[in-house]
Amino acid sequence: MVFPALSSPWRTVVQAVLLVVVSALVVWAPSWRKAPPMPAADAVGYLNLAYHIHQHGVFPDPGYRPTVVPEPGNMVAPLYPGMLSTLMALDTTFAERAECFLFDFYGAPKTCDASVGIEDWGSVLTVHRLLMVLALVLVWVSARVLSPHPVAPWLALGLAASSGVYGSFGQQILTEAVTLPLTTAIALCLALALSCKTALHKARALVGAAALCGIAALVRPTFSYVFYALMLGVLLTALLHKPSRRMALRVLMPMAVVYAAAVLPWMNRNDELFGQWALTGSYGGYILAQRVAYNAMDFSQWVASFLFWLPDFGDDLAAVFFSPDVLRPLDWYAADSFYVLGNGEWMRAYEQAAGGREALQGWLLKEKVLGDLGTHLAVTVPLALRGLWVGKYFGLIGLFCLLSVLISALRYRAWGWWVYCAPALFLVGLQAFVSVSIPRYNLGMVPCMAIAAAVLLVHGWQSLRRRRSPSSLQESP
């Protein structure tokens, strides 16, 4: 079905309503087949932080039981726990259910039913699902910007839905409900900055991207590096592209201002309380400790990791070529796995060598990253690939589609594709460099892969139609 171009107001309204309805069906559908999972692992941690903010007016570090009044902390970025605590203040059902669940989880049950499914926790899942609907709508809009064909946005929407990401994270209390729409919105702003005709519109799009980076950094601090890369890109544009020089130089200050307006209040709070002018405190040292543990892999394990970390079938495929002793450290929870050692024995050794938790990150950067940079970069490659398998087979197929489109875009100088995918690709590399790199960190790749696959399908269909057209049949021997 070919949808008409947006040439009249009623068509625009109908298309917008259809887009929202289809996106909502995609996001809500998983809950009709299976009850959403109860909070676990990170979700419990975020709920607990939000409870302390709501109940005690204190933003703590993770680990405080709900039965105690915590001390202020700075290990976690504030926006997502703050969002949950605001929902608790607005929705008493959510506040009561979360409190009941947390007290039971931490072994101090109250006189309430802690087993009530999260679907009955008030508005919390509705908010997460609406954010996922927004993220899907932004995929459609992005495809509209990147491809002139009217079918491409709908194909991209369907392919993104097929990843399972939007339905899955609409059922969970995790930061991805916020970071996925933000990542897509940043990418869209950059694509618009390149495609807009006037300098004013280009500048507005860049300022919007900077503001969104600031908001996203309050959810996941790695987005601060996306902002720095964006500023560097604009500065290089000013130096190397004369027609855009004036606009690029003029927009640098507004970009810095809107980003600073988002992050400086929280950084100032951390400076006043902890003497650290940063978004988060020592948590980064623990994440980096988990990552540098993988640098201990030998060459056989490095080669094996490319197979072992493939989605779904990777471990079985790797077992054909490598022994269990080679593969076991690459697993998550084996007793001698790099992840378990990096979270336990080795982390304690790193902390002792660094002279304490506060010095851990700096020591790791100096001794384990810069001190052995070649190994660290080599190990970053398979870890980056592991982080790309979003939606398992979706990521595997989507990567080949995206590479095909990006190579073609390079050939034809269609820079909009590279600009759009730049934030997600940058984060893939960065997170593999500083963390254990899991697909959940790289959901921003889903829109890139979905739109690329949609464009390839459209082009393939057009080529097939041309080959089967009467004129081409008459010309054939």
Side-chain angles (χ1 to χ4, degrees):
M1 181 178 182
V2 178
F3 288 84
L6 301 183
S7 57
S8 62
W10 73 266
R11 284 177 176 172
T12 303
V13 171
V14 169
Q15 192 156 246
V17 170
L18 181 61
L19 173 58
V20 172
V21 169
V22 170
S23 300
L25 288 173
V26 168
V27 173
W28 260 267
S31 65
W32 303 336
R33 300 191 303 268
K34 185 180 179 181
M38 293 294 280
D42 287 352
V44 176
Y46 288 122
L47 268 178
N48 196 38
L49 289 174
Y51 173 78
H52 284 301
I53 300 169
H54 171 66
Q55 190 69 23
H56 304 119
V58 176
F59 190 100
D61 285 336
Y64 285 97
R65 300 166 65 86
T67 54
V68 303
V69 179
E71 296 293 324
N74 67 339
M75 286 180 66
V76 179
L79 187 57
Y80 186 68
M83 183 190 88
L84 293 178
S85 71
T86 301
L87 282 177
M88 289 179 181
L90 297 173
D91 184 350
T92 56
T93 300
F94 173 43
E96 291 168 0
R97 295 297 185 195
E99 181 181 46
C100 182
F101 170 82
L102 287 168
F103 272 74
D104 184 75
F105 183 89
Y106 283 95
K110 307 189 81 171
T111 55
C112 56
D113 185 2
S115 66
V116 174
I118 193 172
E119 194 72 73
D120 298 316
W121 280 25
S123 62
V124 61
L125 284 191
T126 299
V127 171
H128 284 67
R129 288 165 178 162
L130 289 174
L131 287 168
M132 287 293 98
V133 170
L134 173 60
L136 269 175
V137 169
L138 290 172
V139 172
W140 188 96
V141 177
S142 299
R144 188 82 179 181
V145 172
L146 292 172
S147 172
H149 199 283
V151 172
W154 295 100
L155 268 177
L157 178 69
L159 290 166
S162 74
S163 71
V165 162
Y166 297 86
S168 174
F169 287 97
Q171 327 300 320
Q172 301 180 66
I173 301 177
L174 290 169
T175 55
E176 281 66 30
V178 180
T179 57
L180 182 51
L182 281 172
T183 306
T184 312
I186 292 167
L188 177 58
C189 283
L190 296 183
L192 287 171
L194 194 67
S195 63
C196 286
K197 302 300 182 184
T198 68
L200 178 60
H201 289 147
K202 289 178 183 292
R204 286 176 176 173
L206 288 171
V207 171
L212 291 168
C213 284
I215 297 169
L218 294 174
V219 183
R220 191 166 288 158
T222 47
F223 280 91
S224 60
Y225 297 99
V226 176
F227 170 73
Y228 302 145
L230 174 58
M231 292 290 280
L232 179 61
V234 174
L235 183 59
L236 289 175
T237 299
L239 296 174
L240 303 176
H241 191 249
K242 191 172 181 179
S244 302
R245 182 168 299 165
R246 173 183 260 182
M247 182 279 297
L249 290 173
R250 286 185 173 182
V251 80
L252 284 170
M253 182 59 71
M255 289 172 66
V257 168
V258 295
Y259 175 81
V263 302
L264 287 185
W266 186 254
M267 293 174 70
N268 183 63
R269 175 259 189 192
N270 288 341
D271 181 51
E272 290 182 353
L273 291 179
F274 307 103
Q276 294 179 318
W277 190 255
L279 285 169
T280 55
S282 56
Y283 185 62
Y286 288 117
I287 298 299
L288 190 57
Q290 296 168 7
R291 165 60 186 87
V292 299
Y294 284 85
N295 291 354
M297 67 172 62
D298 60 27
F299 183 72
S300 295
Q301 290 165 335
W302 183 80
V303 174
S305 67
F306 287 90
L307 296 178
F308 188 81
W309 289 334
L310 285 170
D312 198 28
F313 62 89
D315 51 352
D316 291 332
L317 180 61
V320 176
F321 302 99
F322 298 93
S323 70
D325 289 339
V326 171
L327 299 178
R328 192 171 53 252
L330 301 175
D331 206 349
W332 281 111
Y333 297 114
D336 59 347
S337 74
F338 295 124
Y339 181 71
V340 169
L341 291 170
N343 264 306
E345 180 183 340
W346 290 0
M347 184 181 293
R348 291 189 292 272
Y350 297 152
E351 191 171 322
Q352 185 175 4
R357 187 179 77 175
E358 299 301 327
L360 178 60
Q361 183 168 320
W363 183 86
L364 287 170
L365 284 170
K366 179 182 177 182
E367 300 294 332
K368 298 295 184 178
V369 177
L370 298 178
D372 194 11
L373 187 58
T375 299
H376 194 85
L377 289 172
V379 174
T380 295
V381 176
L383 281 171
L385 287 174
R386 178 168 76 174
L388 282 172
W389 310 138
V390 287
K392 294 188 176 180
Y393 288 104
F394 174 88
L396 189 60
I397 298 169
L399 178 60
F400 287 104
C401 294
L402 181 59
L403 288 175
S404 176
V405 169
L406 289 179
I407 291 169
S408 295
L410 193 63
R411 179 183 175 188
Y412 294 105
R413 300 186 177 226
W415 303 121
W417 278 97
W418 282 92
V419 167
Y420 181 82
C421 297
L425 290 170
F426 177 81
L427 286 170
V428 168
L430 176 63
Q431 285 162 165
F433 191 83
V434 301
S435 78
V436 296
S437 183
I438 57 176
R440 184 162 69 89
Y441 297 164
N442 296 311
L443 298 185
M445 292 299 302
V446 173
C448 303
M449 293 175 174
I451 299 169
V455 168
L456 288 179
L457 287 173
V458 167
H459 286 185
W461 174 249
Q462 288 175 329
S463 298
L464 186 62
R465 287 187 65 184
R466 283 194 296 269
R467 290 176 184 175
R468 292 187 174 184
S469 65
S471 58
S472 64
L473 291 174
Q474 290 172 6
E475 293 171 1
S476 62

